[in-house]
Amino acid sequence: MSQGGRPRKDDRLMITAIWYVLRTGLPWRDLPAQFGPWSSVYTRFRRWCAAGLWSRLHAQLCRKAWGQIRSVDCSHIKVHGAGANPAGGQEGQAMGKTKGGLNTKLSAVVDAMGRAVGLCLAPGSQHDLPACRPLMVHLHGQWVLADRGFDADQFRHDLASSGALICIPPRCGRRISYNYSRMLYRHRHTVENFFARIKRFRCVATRYDKLATSFLAFVLFASVLDWLNFEV
């Protein structure tokens, strides 16, 4: 980026090339020649990942989070064979074997309008509660909406201790039944809608990246674009 904060022409071309990969899911080596050498685009992408550019862009937009409702949920993302053999093992790159094969679990917290304010990755075999643990900071002092998979005593205690108000339907057969607002719970569809929107990008719908940092960067980029759709 230029010193004044505005992207240079070369940066704009690189961003467009990265968006093209995000949208189509094609291998880096198959980038059209109009974007220049594929290796230059990939090197710039990895450099921006290392510098935390995508997370900073997303954090900047998250300052405009609207309302006090926060919906939390997870979604499974199938790992393509091209990304299934990372150096150091699959577990260290947020991959896990499930009944449906090798998956990555994407956890998200969205605001009242369905825009992501928190994102993280976990192996697909991990339960939703520990997978969402890094996102707890985004739930403090908010109305928290989640499905029955999040109905756990410890999770409820942690939320209550942080000043959050809880709207989670109790699991069947629970000894202690908790009340919740059915009308408010209907708003939980916003997080499902978020997953549906960002999975229109093929690099998010299917994971082709071996490295968790690269895949999360694509997810953050898709989330930034989703935010901009609301802003424009």
Side-chain angles (χ1 to χ4, degrees), residues 73-112:
D73 205 355
C74 300
S75 181
H76 283 276
I77 296 172
K78 186 78 171 180
V79 179
H80 192 271
N85 295 300
Q90 298 170 344
E91 189 74 16
Q93 298 299 333
M95 301 180 192
K97 292 182 179 179
T98 66
K99 291 182 179 180
L102 193 62
N103 283 271
T104 289
K105 181 168 287 188
L106 172 63
S107 304
V109 173
V110 302
D111 69 357

Side-chain angles (χ1 to χ4, degrees), residues 37-90:
W38 71 268
S39 57
S40 298
V41 179
Y42 177 72
T43 300
R44 187 72 62 89
F45 173 72
R46 290 293 303 150
R47 188 184 302 163
W48 284 343
C49 288
L53 173 66
W54 310 107
S55 57
R56 294 203 310 272
L57 285 174
H58 187 253
Q60 187 70 22
L61 291 170
C62 289
R63 295 180 180 179
K64 298 183 179 180
W66 185 79
Q68 289 188 301
I69 295 176
R70 297 292 181 269
S71 300
V72 57
D73 205 355
C74 300
S75 181
H76 283 276
I77 296 172
K78 186 78 171 180
V79 179
H80 192 271
N85 295 300
Q90 298 170 344

